[in-house]
Amino acid sequence: MLRHLGFHAPRLAFNFKPRLVDGCNGQSLITRAFSAVVSPPSKAIVYEAHGAPDAVAKLVEIPAVEVKENEVCVKMLAAPINPSDINRIQGVYPVRPEPPAVGGYEGVGEVHSVGSSVSSLSPGDWVIPSPPSFGTWQTYIVKDENVWHKIDKGVPMEYAATITVNPLTALLMLEHCITLNSGDAIVQNGATSMVGQCVIQLAKSRGIHSVNIIRDRPGVDEVKERLKDMGADKVFTENELEVKNIKSLLDLSLRGFWLQKWLSTDKAEESRGMIDRLLRLVQEGKLKYKMELAPFDDFNTALDKALGKLGSQPKQVIKF
């Protein structure tokens, strides 16, 4: 099955180092020591076909693989379960790997070992795949040096693992979709989502007012207060605003934004700079959102929570 999944047994990389020793005939002989640069064996969440994630996603063991000269082996520390991850497994997300595939799209890890030509990273560094890439739900990942972006180890692990997909989307929506200045106001629905929470806080940091629309739900007053504590200026339920008639109140224009498409247009360096900005805001306490760390061994429970089978839950972040 492992061969079918595209995982291969290690190919040994030999690094020869001549060493002189005394031979039995009095002459010097040259011996060569060698070492193989390979990853440790890994465990991964794999799906062999599209379908319901709780039915098709399975934990499998992957053998060690060679770490080539330009590659980096990363021991994953944490990775979230995002709605887009679920959609990829279901086969409904526009861009997805063909199964069999390892789940996950973003996360944070610690450099375990590096190939002989790698100079920008060292064992112990914290890195994220940037732009994000498929297959983060596994304990060890081997990919090219250029895939990894070094980050400050002082960032809380769960924030480093989740900084790209949602916070970066929020920042780009505020800075690239339209020109906004201090004193301007924005209106957003879905304000309780992670993107929505980030929009509120990032807007506040720039002096931009936010009007936020949420669904009617039990405990709505508590939700309103939580969003206001984040910096929301106004929070209304859909019923309070009669959203169906909102067009009669505003002159609306619609503009689509998709992070993955933006990242595919040679934006790697720009996105890394924006990610560093976001991580600094996290360290300064200016960007927060609710998450729950879940042990990798308890992945099935975390997946059930992410699927909504156990009621409303915080963002699930797998800790390896």
Side-chain angles (χ1 to χ4, degrees), residues 199-233:
V199 165
I200 290 170
Q201 295 169 84
L202 294 173
K204 180 183 178 182
S205 71
R206 293 182 49 194
I208 297 169
H209 304 291
S210 66
V211 178
N212 302 274
I213 305 171
I214 62 175
R215 293 192 304 250
D216 292 272
R217 63 180 71 192
V220 68
D221 290 336
E222 181 182 344
V223 174
K224 285 184 176 182
E225 287 305 312
R226 179 161 57 86
L227 294 181
K228 288 179 180 179
D229 287 343
M230 289 182 178
D233 292 279

Side-chain angles (χ1 to χ4, degrees), residues 156-172:
M157 179 177 60
E158 61 271 29
Y159 281 93
T162 58
I163 201 65
T164 304
V165 170
N166 292 295
L168 183 57
T169 294
L171 183 59
L172 286 165

Side-chain angles (χ1 to χ4, degrees), residues 64-81:
V65 297
E66 175 190 358
V67 181
K68 298 178 182 177
E69 61 179 3
N70 293 316
E71 292 181 331
V72 176
C73 174
V74 172
K75 180 184 184 298
M76 292 302 291
L77 299 173
I81 304 177

Side-chain angles (χ1 to χ4, degrees), residues 205-319:
S205 71
R206 293 182 49 194
I208 297 169
H209 304 291
S210 66
V211 178
N212 302 274
I213 305 171
I214 62 175
R215 293 192 304 250
D216 292 272
R217 63 180 71 192
V220 68
D221 290 336
E222 181 182 344
V223 174
K224 285 184 176 182
E225 287 305 312
R226 179 161 57 86
L227 294 181
K228 288 179 180 179
D229 287 343
M230 289 182 178
D233 292 279
K234 301 290 182 180
V235 184
F236 299 100
T237 66
E238 293 175 347
N239 284 343
E240 287 172 336
L241 281 185
E242 295 184 356
V243 170
K244 292 180 180 179
N245 299 319
I246 197 71
K247 290 183 180 179
S248 64
L249 303 177
L250 303 174
D251 180 16
L252 292 176
S253 63
L254 301 178
R255 186 172 305 179
F257 176 78
W258 185 23
L259 177 65
Q260 186 156 342
K261 182 178 181 180
W262 185 85
L263 288 172
S264 68
T265 56
D266 300 322
K267 298 291 187 180
E269 287 305 313
E270 183 178 355
S271 68
R272 290 180 176 189
M274 298 180 83
I275 285 169
D276 290 340
R277 284 173 53 196
L278 290 166
L279 291 174
R280 284 194 293 272
L281 289 174
V282 169
Q283 290 180 292
E284 294 168 2
K286 297 178 180 178
L287 183 61
K288 301 177 182 179
Y289 38 86
K290 197 171 182 181
M291 294 173 283
E292 182 178 60
L293 282 169
F296 187 40
D297 292 341
D298 201 18
F299 178 84
N300 289 336
T301 300
L303 182 59
D304 285 345
K305 290 181 178 181
L307 291 170
K309 294 168 67 175
L310 301 177
S312 179
Q313 299 287 335
K315 170 71 68 179
Q316 295 297 297
V317 180
I318 303 303
K319 181 180 179 182

Side-chain angles (χ1 to χ4, degrees), residues 37-48:
V37 182
V38 295
S39 74
S42 185
K43 294 182 179 180
I45 300 296
V46 171
Y47 55 101
E48 295 192 55

